[in-house]
Amino acid sequence: MIVMKDVYKKYPNGVVAANGINVKIARGEFVYVVGPSGAGKSTFIKMMYREETPTSGSIMINSINLATLRSKRVPYLRRQIGVVFQDFKLLPKLNVYENVAFALEVIEETPKQIRKKVNDVLALVGLTQKARMFPNELSGGEQQRVSIARSIVNSPKVVIADEPTGNLDPDTSWDIMKIFEQINSRGTTIVMATHNKEIVNTIRHRVIVVEGGMITRDEYEGVYGYES
Amino acid sequence: MIVMKDVYKKYPNGVVAANGINVKIARGEFVYVVGPSGAGKSTFIKMMYREETPTSGSIMINSINLATLRSKRVPYLRRQIGVVFQDFKLLPKLNVYENVAFALEVIEETPKQIRKKVNDVLALVGLTQKARMFPNELSGGEQQRVSIARSIVNSPKVVIADEPTGNLDPDTSWDIMKIFEQINSRGTTIVMATHNKEIVNTIRHRVIVVEGGMITRDEYEGVYGYES
Amino acid sequence: MTFASVSAVTVTLLLVGVFIVIMMNLNQLADNIENDVEIKVITDPAADVEDVKLLKKEVQETAGVATVIYSSRDEELDKMISSFGDELNLYKQSNPLGDALYVKASNPHETAEVAAEIGTYDHIYQVVYGEGKIEKLFNVLTMSRNVGLALILALLFTAMFLISNTIRLTIVARGKEIEIMKLVGATNSFVRIPFVLEGIWLGVLGSLIPMGVISFAYYELYTQWEPKLQNELFQLLSATPFIFQVNALLLFMGVFIGIWGSFMSVRKFLRV
Amino acid sequence: MTFASVSAVTVTLLLVGVFIVIMMNLNQLADNIENDVEIKVITDPAADVEDVKLLKKEVQETAGVATVIYSSRDEELDKMISSFGDELNLYKQSNPLGDALYVKASNPHETAEVAAEIGTYDHIYQVVYGEGKIEKLFNVLTMSRNVGLALILALLFTAMFLISNTIRLTIVARGKEIEIMKLVGATNSFVRIPFVLEGIWLGVLGSLIPMGVISFAYYELYTQWEPKLQNELFQLLSATPFIFQVNALLLFMGVFIGIWGSFMSVRKFLRV
Ligand SMILES: Nc1ncnc2c1ncn2[C@@H]1O[C@H](COP(=O)(O)OP(=O)(O)OP(=O)(O)O)[C@@H](O)[C@H]1O
Ligand SMILES: Nc1ncnc2c1ncn2[C@@H]1O[C@H](COP(=O)(O)OP(=O)(O)OP(=O)(O)O)[C@@H](O)[C@H]1O
Ligand SMILES: [Mg+2]
Ligand SMILES: [Mg+2]
């Protein structure tokens, strides 16, 4: 369960990227976050895994109160959340396999389990052939798929994806959506910021529209769209 | 005019990203480059402004032969080509205004001209308000628009854009396309790698399909699509 | 990157090592010079052999006296002749000098007190020692030692600063990586461990060459020069324990700086 | 980043500066010690005042002689008494010694030759000088100077290496930026100029503190100690031209290293 109450975020440069956000996302929901460029979608998402902290307001993730969370405990919060970053955030010195395995190493999974899970998830995103390659040897879409693989490899309770199909061709995008659907059907909460109108309108889910740091529309089975 | 003859590119890790490419793009053309993730679109594009050099084959850009081009002259080639990079490539220590102005400073434009042109192009991409902000203070889509602004600010003869709308919402994407259409109508050659099916199918132009490092289809007034 | 760190450790420790070797040996020289300070006790020319023997014993038993060497009146005359000219040979017939005792204090800095004490004994004509001169010499020696120590400390701190600076820079360059690790759920210690291990590794690697070079060079120097310096004031410190001590110090410094540098530098990026 | 470079320049140059000051002054001391080497010419006790006057003139005109100081036979006797005991007072009635001339060679290393030449003159009883001892002293001095020079050179090279290392690392961290600049059409010199300017700036900034500290400290030292050292062997180098020379050297080194470090480091990234 994700609950935000009166969340307000002002960046040091004065930009208000969240201007009073109130939202509840139940366990197992699939939520699209849409809105124009610069609306505050990424900020909304970053506050969930505490890359950014709100200026005021409270956030609860899986009954963890982020406001009172001691910084020592932040890693344990993050392990419950798989994140696909808008800029991928791959470790440049590790190859594809190691980048994905890293998410399992931090939770001290056994080597055998790591091998199995990483290979499975790489097959899922179609990167088995590129397991030994390094991020700078990958195309944009391949990097994005590594980021996706890493976010789901440890079967987190929540997956947060910031434009996970931005660098993917339509076919691959649909494949990725199938994966998200599948893990969602097994009970994983999914929050996905996206600009992909076709996907939003085809695979219907709850749509949260963010504009100017505020939620201007919040519809179950919604469609892509907002006034601007 | 862009001419590629038998271009073959093998990366040091053994991946063949261009496998015998032959293509001619006339001055003033607008070309979409489409294809699945990892097909070799970015490689195709990178060879034009010489971020990558082909393993074999020849490339001519505006009657400059890249094979015999001395490395001293490479900057002058690049000044004739505006590039929107898939990963934006903004200078982190310069603000939005300075990042765009940089493309004019290297060609030693007068300060007055720089001011005028930069302000004009920032207005065009809708970033006038964010001119004094630094790249790490921008959303993904805003960074992409800075990269676009920089690529067109010095009115290059050729604009090469690698997924320029990957991080943009549909409305902003259409705005950017309008800009590209406009500069194309003034005679600028445009080569644009994209995954955006809607755009390719709506604003009809020549479509080059790249698959496995080869051009598998090349149609004037084409539509998005390839077998895979 | 790694090369930059290792080479910084290498050149700095090499320099530190050379300085330590030089300073320790100079210190030894200073010791020797201090220990060379003597009190000359001139006996009453009227005293007979037995008196002088007793006096010698008495002096020997004085608190603070380390060694007493006897020099007969004839030996003294020879010394005088050799520094004031052969024409004094004519005094050999009737030597006007007394016997002399050359006394060393166990703590050279107490020379004055020891001399005063001896001056109260019988059968003594005169007690001579450097007086003002010795104090001056001691002052100079103490000052040079302090300056030397200050220099070596300054060098050590500079070395530490520069090395940790270098390590920090290599880690700064990896700030993004640390940030990513933290965002993917790594704890601080999980992130830190590899960097600290790398720091140790850098330190060990960086101290190998200095240790080798200094050991080899000092051993060569020692075996070549020690025989020639047999009778000189200046003596080289014996190779065997000294080389090991210097090596241990260098290794310790390298590893310490490596760990410390990594630790401090990583810290900055863990606040994500 | 900039702080790392500037502070590396600062501490290294400070150390180099201190060493240069010390070494230059020790060099001066070595000069003074060398110049302190004397030949003692003992005249024939039978020679009369006129003979000695002529001899002194003759010695003074000998090639290679710098200074000649006359010491009468009575003064010589006083010296002897003060180092061998008061009992020699009885020789004051009939002084057996001759007058002495203390001679310094203009080039101390030619002492032996000068002494031999003087030895051939009339009215001379004996020519005494350190002989073996002097050669040994010179050997020690030459060696210490060489070791000192080697150390200062080693320190200089270490400093240069470390500083350019640091500058290189700060630029390595900016490799991506340089790459982007080149991809946007900047020429090599366009990219390089700001980095080289920054290098100069780093060098200047980094040498300011060492220059200030050393100037101030040396000036204080000089004004405080110079009067006290009036009659000592050890003299401080006069403050005024020396401070300027050291400052110029430090500034030059800082700027040179800054430029060189930037130049070398940027080069690596220009191949895009
Ligand atoms: N670290 C930051 N410091 C200052 N301002 C920031 C920072 N990050 C984002 N902003 C500003 O906050 C606003 C919202 O940014 P955010 O990244 O949340 O947008 P977004 O909805 O994700 O946009 P996009 O679709 O382009 O990714 C933007 O105007 C941006 O300029
Ligand atoms: N620097 C590199 N070193 C090694 N291999 C590379 C490098 N860059 C790309 N590749 C490989 O070459 C192939 C083509 O990459 P390219 O970036 O051209 O694909 P793309 O068509 O742009 O894909 P996308 O749509 O995902 O951006 C990929 O399989 C990739 O792994
Ligand atoms: Mg975003
Ligand atoms: Mg690409």
Side-chain angles (χ1 to χ4, degrees):
Chain A
M1 255 255 291
I2 300 169
V3 185
M4 291 201 184
K5 260 199 211 127
D6 297 326
V7 170
Y8 179 84
K9 171 74 187 178
K10 186 175 191 170
Y11 282 110
N13 63 0
V15 174
V16 178
N19 196 355
I21 289 185
N22 284 286
V23 79
K24 263 189 199 172
I25 298 171
R27 172 164 303 176
E29 259 193 292
F30 194 129
V31 180
Y32 294 120
V33 181
V34 305
S37 171
K41 301 181 296 297
S42 294
T43 305
F44 175 70
I45 274 179
K46 282 176 184 171
M47 288 187 297
M48 292 182 191
Y49 58 90
R50 220 186 176 196
E51 183 175 343
E52 298 289 349
T53 45
T55 314
S56 68
S58 78
I59 304 177
M60 299 276 292
I61 308 281
N62 295 334
S63 34
I64 300 168
N65 186 340
L66 296 204
T68 60
L69 186 68
R70 287 169 51 227
S71 63
K72 278 244 165 202
R73 303 295 306 166
V74 170
Y76 304 95
L77 164 76
R78 290 180 181 153
R79 290 172 191 181
Q80 298 181 20
I81 306 174
V83 183
V84 184
F85 301 93
Q86 191 167 8
D87 53 355
F88 319 146
K89 292 206 194 297
L90 303 179
L91 290 162
K93 302 234 174 88
L94 303 185
N95 66 28
V96 168
Y97 180 93
E98 292 160 346
N99 259 288
V100 177
F102 191 84
L104 294 172
E105 277 157 14
V106 296
I107 58 171
E108 287 170 13
E109 187 63 275
T110 62
K112 203 175 145 194
Q113 281 292 308
I114 292 181
R115 221 171 307 130
K116 190 184 169 325
K117 289 188 180 176
V118 174
N119 286 329
D120 286 355
V121 79
L122 285 182
L124 210 57
V125 298
L127 284 178
T128 307
Q129 300 299 321
K130 316 234 151 170
R132 303 286 153 212
M133 281 164 68
F134 288 87
N136 68 344
E137 301 173 344
L138 297 177
S139 78
E142 285 161 353
Q143 291 181 44
Q144 193 156 40
R145 281 180 278 157
V146 179
S147 191
I148 293 168
R150 182 180 59 188
S151 76
I152 60 178
V153 71
N154 67 345
S155 316
K157 296 188 198 147
V158 180
V159 170
I160 296 179
D162 201 348
E163 279 178 60
T165 62
N167 286 269
L168 296 178
D169 58 281
D171 289 348
T172 312
S173 298
W174 287 115
D175 290 346
I176 294 299
M177 284 312 294
K178 259 185 240 153
I179 298 170
F180 281 157
E181 283 290 297
Q182 201 180 323
I183 60 176
N184 175 241
S185 71
R186 281 181 290 178
T188 307
T189 313
I190 295 189
V191 180
M192 173 173 157
T194 186
H195 291 308
N196 197 318
K197 197 168 162 178
E198 207 180 334
I199 287 177
V200 174
N201 290 347
T202 309
I203 308 179
R204 290 296 183 88
H205 287 296
R206 177 174 173 191
V207 175
I208 293 178
V209 179
V210 177
E211 281 174 279
M214 284 181 285
I215 295 183
T216 54
R217 192 158 64 84
D218 184 352
E219 279 175 11
Y220 290 82
E221 306 278 311
V223 294
Y224 190 97
Y226 46 86
E227 301 142 48
S228 63
Chain B
M1 256 256 292
I2 300 169
V3 184
M4 290 200 183
K5 262 201 209 122
D6 297 326
V7 169
Y8 179 86
K9 171 73 187 179
K10 186 174 191 168
Y11 281 109
N13 63 359
V15 174
V16 177
N19 196 355
I21 290 185
N22 284 288
V23 78
K24 262 190 200 175
I25 298 171
R27 173 163 302 176
E29 258 192 294
F30 194 129
V31 180
Y32 294 120
V33 181
V34 304
S37 172
K41 302 180 294 300
S42 295
T43 305
F44 175 68
I45 275 179
K46 282 176 184 169
M47 290 188 295
M48 292 184 192
Y49 58 89
R50 220 188 175 193
E51 184 175 342
E52 297 290 351
T53 46
T55 314
S56 68
S58 78
I59 304 178
M60 299 276 293
I61 309 283
N62 296 333
S63 34
I64 299 169
N65 186 341
L66 296 203
T68 60
L69 186 68
R70 286 168 53 225
S71 64
K72 278 246 163 200
R73 302 297 304 168
V74 170
Y76 303 95
L77 164 74
R78 289 178 180 154
R79 291 172 191 181
Q80 298 180 19
I81 306 174
V83 183
V84 184
F85 301 93
Q86 191 166 10
D87 53 355
F88 319 146
K89 291 205 195 295
L90 302 180
L91 291 162
K93 302 233 174 90
L94 303 186
N95 65 29
V96 168
Y97 180 94
E98 292 160 347
N99 259 289
V100 177
F102 191 84
L104 294 172
E105 276 157 12
V106 296
I107 57 170
E108 288 171 14
E109 187 64 274
T110 61
K112 204 175 144 194
Q113 281 290 310
I114 292 181
R115 220 170 308 129
K116 188 182 170 328
K117 288 187 179 175
V118 174
N119 285 329
D120 285 356
V121 79
L122 285 182
L124 210 57
V125 299
L127 285 178
T128 306
Q129 300 298 321
K130 314 235 153 168
R132 302 287 153 212
M133 281 164 68
F134 288 87
N136 69 343
E137 301 174 344
L138 298 177
S139 79
E142 286 161 353
Q143 291 181 42
Q144 193 156 40
R145 282 180 278 158
V146 178
S147 190
I148 293 167
R150 183 179 59 188
S151 75
I152 59 177
V153 70
N154 67 346
S155 315
K157 295 187 199 147
V158 179
V159 170
I160 296 179
D162 201 349
E163 278 179 59
T165 61
N167 286 270
L168 297 177
D169 58 279
D171 288 349
T172 313
S173 298
W174 288 114
D175 290 345
I176 295 299
M177 284 312 294
K178 260 186 238 151
I179 298 169
F180 282 157
E181 283 290 296
Q182 201 181 326
I183 59 176
N184 175 241
S185 71
R186 282 181 290 178
T188 306
T189 312
I190 294 191
V191 179
M192 173 173 157
T194 186
H195 291 308
N196 196 317
K197 196 168 163 179
E198 207 181 334
I199 286 176
V200 174
N201 290 348
T202 310
I203 307 180
R204 290 295 184 87
H205 288 295
R206 178 174 172 189
V207 175
I208 293 177
V209 178
V210 177
E211 282 175 280
M214 284 181 285
I215 295 184
T216 53
R217 191 158 65 84
D218 184 353
E219 278 176 13
Y220 290 83
E221 306 277 310
V223 292
Y224 190 97
Y226 45 86
E227 300 141 49
S228 63
Chain C
M1 291 299 219
T2 320
F3 172 76
S5 300
V6 172
S7 58
V9 177
T10 301
V11 296
T12 339
L13 284 190
L14 192 57
L15 203 67
V16 169
V18 169
F19 264 81
I20 288 178
V21 167
I22 291 175
M23 279 298 167
M24 298 288 280
N25 274 295
L26 284 186
N27 208 34
Q28 161 97 335
L29 173 64
D31 271 351
N32 291 349
I33 289 177
E34 283 194 354
N35 290 331
D36 208 41
V37 169
E38 295 180 319
I39 303 164
K40 180 177 177 184
V41 180
I42 302 171
T43 62
D44 189 344
D48 62 26
V49 178
E50 274 309 303
D51 292 338
V52 174
K53 253 191 192 156
L54 280 174
L55 178 64
K56 189 185 172 195
K57 200 156 169 269
E58 197 178 2
V59 169
Q60 234 152 4
E61 282 160 3
T62 306
V65 166
T67 59
V68 180
I69 290 167
Y70 170 79
S71 165
S72 75
R73 57 190 69 192
D74 293 338
E75 287 164 348
E76 286 298 290
L77 185 62
D78 286 342
K79 282 187 199 167
M80 189 167 87
I81 290 168
S82 76
S83 54
F84 284 89
D86 295 340
E87 71 265 47
L88 295 171
N89 270 326
L90 53 110
Y91 294 103
K92 283 204 169 160
Q93 269 77 47
S94 82
N95 186 343
L97 303 176
D99 297 338
L101 297 176
Y102 291 92
V103 179
K104 282 187 190 178
S106 42
N107 176 356
H109 290 269
E110 285 170 5
T111 305
E113 289 87 328
V114 172
E117 170 69 17
I118 293 173
T120 63
Y121 299 164
D122 285 340
H123 304 298
I124 285 183
Y125 185 80
Q126 212 177 5
V127 175
V128 182
Y129 74 99
E131 286 180 317
K133 262 193 198 167
I134 291 190
E135 262 93 61
K136 264 191 198 165
L137 178 65
F138 284 172
N139 285 345
V140 169
L141 286 180
T142 311
M143 211 180 76
S144 349
R145 279 174 182 203
N146 289 345
V147 169
L149 200 70
L151 281 183
I152 219 165
L153 280 181
L155 194 64
L156 270 177
F157 275 105
T158 311
M160 284 193 49
F161 176 80
L162 289 170
I163 294 174
S164 64
N165 214 344
T166 311
I167 294 179
R168 182 164 318 147
L169 282 177
T170 63
I171 294 182
V172 165
R174 292 165 70 178
K176 266 232 122 44
E177 285 179 60
I178 297 175
E179 192 188 311
I180 294 173
M181 292 179 190
K182 293 258 1 218
L183 286 178
V184 178
T187 55
N188 286 353
S189 47
F190 190 93
V191 173
R192 195 153 38 206
I193 285 166
F195 284 102
V196 171
L197 287 180
E198 195 183 311
I200 295 177
W201 183 227
L202 287 181
V204 172
L205 228 60
S207 46
L208 285 184
I209 293 180
M211 279 163 55
V213 168
I214 285 175
S215 301
F216 177 78
Y218 194 76
Y219 185 77
E220 282 297 304
L221 195 85
Y222 184 76
T223 47
Q224 285 209 7
W225 281 89
E226 186 51 20
K228 298 185 191 162
L229 294 172
Q230 268 321 309
N231 298 312
E232 301 282 336
L233 200 57
F234 179 69
Q235 298 278 325
L236 284 171
L237 286 166
S238 181
T240 341
F242 182 59
I243 288 181
F244 294 139
Q245 288 158 4
V246 170
N247 279 353
L249 185 64
L250 289 178
L251 186 64
F252 170 78
M253 277 174 48
V255 170
F256 174 78
I257 293 171
I259 295 177
W260 185 74
S262 324
F263 213 88
M264 296 308 289
S265 329
V266 173
R267 217 174 58 158
K268 195 172 149 190
F269 296 101
L270 290 176
R271 302 191 197 105
V272 179
Chain D
M1 292 300 219
T2 319
F3 172 77
S5 300
V6 172
S7 59
V9 176
T10 300
V11 296
T12 339
L13 284 190
L14 192 57
L15 203 66
V16 169
V18 170
F19 264 81
I20 288 179
V21 168
I22 291 174
M23 279 298 167
M24 297 289 280
N25 275 295
L26 285 186
N27 207 34
Q28 162 96 334
L29 173 64
D31 270 352
N32 290 349
I33 289 177
E34 284 194 356
N35 290 330
D36 208 40
V37 169
E38 294 181 320
I39 303 163
K40 179 178 179 182
V41 180
I42 303 172
T43 62
D44 188 344
D48 64 24
V49 179
E50 274 310 301
D51 291 339
V52 173
K53 253 191 193 156
L54 278 173
L55 176 63
K56 187 185 173 200
K57 203 159 165 268
E58 199 179 1
V59 169
Q60 235 153 7
E61 282 161 2
T62 306
V65 167
T67 59
V68 180
I69 290 168
Y70 170 79
S71 166
S72 74
R73 55 191 68 194
D74 294 338
E75 288 164 348
E76 285 298 291
L77 183 61
D78 286 344
K79 284 187 200 167
M80 189 169 88
I81 290 168
S82 75
S83 51
F84 284 88
D86 296 341
E87 71 265 47
L88 294 171
N89 271 326
L90 53 110
Y91 294 104
K92 282 204 168 160
Q93 271 76 45
S94 83
N95 186 342
L97 302 175
D99 296 339
L101 297 176
Y102 291 92
V103 179
K104 282 188 189 172
S106 42
N107 177 355
H109 291 268
E110 284 169 5
T111 305
E113 289 86 330
V114 172
E117 169 69 18
I118 293 173
T120 64
Y121 300 164
D122 286 342
H123 304 299
I124 287 182
Y125 184 79
Q126 211 176 9
V127 175
V128 182
Y129 74 99
E131 283 176 320
K133 264 194 197 167
I134 290 190
E135 262 94 61
K136 265 191 197 165
L137 179 65
F138 284 170
N139 285 346
V140 170
L141 285 179
T142 312
M143 211 180 74
S144 352
R145 279 175 182 201
N146 289 345
V147 170
L149 200 69
L151 282 183
I152 219 165
L153 280 181
L155 193 65
L156 270 177
F157 276 107
T158 312
M160 283 194 47
F161 176 80
L162 289 171
I163 294 175
S164 63
N165 214 346
T166 311
I167 294 180
R168 183 163 319 148
L169 283 178
T170 62
I171 294 184
V172 165
R174 293 164 71 177
K176 265 232 122 41
E177 286 179 59
I178 297 176
E179 192 187 313
I180 295 172
M181 291 180 191
K182 291 257 6 216
L183 286 179
V184 178
T187 56
N188 286 354
S189 48
F190 190 93
V191 173
R192 194 153 37 205
I193 285 166
F195 284 101
V196 170
L197 287 180
E198 194 182 312
I200 295 177
W201 183 227
L202 287 180
V204 171
L205 229 59
S207 46
L208 284 184
I209 294 179
M211 279 164 56
V213 169
I214 287 176
S215 300
F216 177 78
Y218 193 77
Y219 185 77
E220 282 298 304
L221 195 85
Y222 184 76
T223 47
Q224 286 209 6
W225 282 90
E226 185 52 21
K228 297 182 193 165
L229 294 173
Q230 268 323 306
N231 298 312
E232 302 282 336
L233 200 57
F234 178 68
Q235 297 279 323
L236 285 170
L237 286 167
S238 182
T240 342
F242 181 59
I243 288 180
F244 293 139
Q245 286 157 5
V246 170
N247 279 353
L249 185 65
L250 289 177
L251 187 63
F252 170 78
M253 277 175 48
V255 170
F256 174 78
I257 293 170
I259 295 179
W260 186 74
S262 324
F263 213 89
M264 296 308 289
S265 330
V266 172
R267 219 174 56 160
K268 194 171 148 193
F269 296 101
L270 289 176
R271 303 193 194 103
V272 179

